[in-house]
Amino acid sequence: MEGTELAVQVVGTWLTLVLSLILLPSAFGVSLGISEIYMKILVKTLEWATLRIEKGSPKESSLKSPSSVGIIQRDESPMEKGISGHRGGDFELSDVFYFSKKGFEAIVEDEVTQRFSSEELVSWNLLTRTNINFQYISLRLTTVWVLGVIVRYCFLLPLRITLAFFGISLLVIGTTMVGQLPNSSLKNWLSELVHLTCCRICVRALSGTIHYHNKQYRPQKGGICVANHTSPIDVLILTTDGCYAMVGQVHGGLMGIIQRAMVKACPHVWFERSEMKDRHLVTKRLREHIADKKKLPILIFPEGTCINNTSVMMFKKGSFEIGGTIYPVAIKYNPQFGDAFWNSSKYNMVNYLLRMMTSWAIVCDVWYLPPMTREEDEDAVQFANRVKSAIAVQGGLTELPWDGGLKRAKVKDTLKEEQQKNYSKMIVGNGSINTESE
């Protein structure tokens, strides 16, 4: 009996501290300075660990920037220049060497596959999952690592699970209750309040530290917000600073319960699996949404899949065929404190969230870019590329033309045919020139 009373007292004290020190400040969008103190201690600890690793590592294996490390050195010259050095006439068997060289380069180190694995760190961040390139240095560093494991799994993990439980529960209950009200400005205000409050609590559950830049360019109602995609928590990161209408597929389980509750309070756009394949239906519903300037801006991730936050891949043109004003947003995470990238082919949602909650923190920068509209002389693809370039430049990301769908699908035949056409045009061109000269 005494053990039960003690357990009740411990749980009650724990919930009281969480409620007073974290939940209530999060609900009002204020900070008591606890997270700032935690981040300062964490930064100092990681800096100390970096110095210890540098001192304990051999000089020849000094830390290098991931961007400076490459398995191969690529020749980025176009096909015409690359083949012209090997050929002497219209067609020569030596042309095969150029394509073989490009094939070997792609097999050894292609530009696509490496974007679907975690970003390489410059120095170890004292997480077991990232110590592949690091080894035993000293007893002091190992002791700090052990203390870090205890802090993350015995204190931070229970705290974060508690906060996540409260955040998700309040979201489901709050949106369900607000959804019972008739459509009015009061309902819209309460809906935004519930979404903002619950998302702030969930971000605190990840020890999130977010720096927003250029807030004067925040997406406005009746517009479309597009951003690079790294993780499912991208939604939480953006919704902490403003509400959006989500677009996505209907799910089952816990995610389905959350979706059904949210759509009662806010006009989110959910599609059935069969409807997602109907582009005309999707476009129609999105156009109807942005036509109402009183509705929240739509949040879309045009890449269609999660990328490891080192680059921006091809934007699907569908989001840019709808019309309206596009509000680009660049999101850049700091992997030194925790890897936000979701490798869905390797981890399911539960494992991913567990990795997030046992990381040190989630630190990121969000840049709101000036609104953009489609020009008269550009099509949807050109407009998408222009927006993608702006996001890549602002976020310091590499811009790639490849489709993120290559994460699970094979290369489209059209891409192969494009290279074949370029080569055939070059051959035909050389042949015609030689014929004329004869």
Side-chain angles (χ1 to χ4, degrees), residues 185-237:
S185 57
L186 175 62
K187 178 180 179 180
N188 295 335
W189 180 78
L190 289 175
S191 174
E192 293 183 22
L193 179 63
V194 170
H195 280 81
L196 284 172
T197 301
C198 296
C199 286
R200 286 169 180 166
I201 294 174
C202 290
V203 168
R204 293 289 177 92
L206 300 172
S207 298
T209 300
I210 313 169
H211 305 285
Y212 297 98
H213 308 274
N214 307 325
K215 287 192 175 184
Q216 68 272 22
Y217 297 131
R218 279 188 294 190
Q220 303 297 315
K221 293 183 177 181
I224 302 173
C225 174
V226 299
N228 56 301
H229 198 24
T230 304
S231 160
I233 67 173
D234 292 340
V235 175
L236 293 177
I237 298 298

Side-chain angles (χ1 to χ4, degrees), residues 20-180:
S20 59
L21 297 179
I22 301 178
L23 278 177
L24 289 179
S26 299
F28 293 101
V30 298
S31 175
L32 300 180
I34 299 176
S35 58
E36 287 78 4
I37 295 174
Y38 168 71
M39 289 304 301
K40 288 181 180 179
I41 296 174
L42 181 57
V43 169
K44 292 292 184 181
T45 303
L46 294 180
E47 288 177 350
W48 174 84
T50 300
L51 292 176
R52 296 294 301 178
I53 293 173
E54 289 177 345
K55 290 180 180 179
S57 301
K59 293 182 179 179
E60 59 271 15
S61 62
S62 57
L63 301 177
K64 299 179 181 179
S65 172
S67 59
S68 64
V69 178
I71 300 176
I72 58 177
Q73 184 175 0
R74 294 180 179 275
D75 180 9
E76 302 295 344
S77 58
M79 182 188 300
E80 292 81 359
K81 185 177 179 181
I83 294 182
S84 62
H86 302 289
R87 62 186 300 111
D90 297 337
F91 170 80
E92 291 187 2
L93 190 59
S94 59
D95 291 351
V96 175
F97 293 129
Y98 171 81
F99 296 105
S100 299
K101 174 175 174 289
K102 290 296 183 181
F104 288 134
E105 288 179 352
I107 293 173
V108 174
E109 188 180 31
D110 69 283
E111 291 183 325
V112 178
T113 306
Q114 59 182 315
R115 310 299 172 178
F116 304 126
S117 58
S118 296
E119 182 179 356
E120 183 180 347
L121 297 178
V122 176
S123 181
W124 187 33
N125 60 358
L126 300 180
L127 295 178
T128 307
R129 70 200 65 158
T130 58
N131 70 341
I132 298 176
N133 297 325
F134 306 100
Q135 55 187 355
Y136 174 82
I137 300 297
S138 68
L139 179 61
R140 293 175 63 184
L141 187 62
T142 303
T143 302
V144 172
W145 169 76
V146 172
L147 291 175
V149 171
I150 295 174
V151 169
R152 289 186 292 110
Y153 283 89
C154 298
F155 176 71
L156 291 180
L157 180 59
L159 173 62
R160 291 168 176 174
I161 291 176
T162 303
L163 290 173
F165 173 78
F166 274 109
I168 295 175
S169 300
L170 289 174
L171 179 63
V172 173
I173 296 172
T175 51
T176 301
M177 294 177 62
V178 173
Q180 306 306 314

Side-chain angles (χ1 to χ4, degrees), residues 367-407:
W367 289 274
Y368 297 110
L369 279 64
M372 305 172 69
T373 55
R374 183 172 168 181
E375 298 177 353
E376 295 183 359
D377 58 342
E378 69 178 352
D379 55 26
V381 175
Q382 293 171 332
F383 185 29
N385 290 334
R386 184 159 60 91
V387 174
K388 182 184 72 170
S389 298
I391 292 176
V393 171
Q394 181 63 77
L397 306 169
T398 303
E399 184 181 357
L400 297 176
W402 302 105
D403 185 356
L406 293 173
K407 183 177 184 178

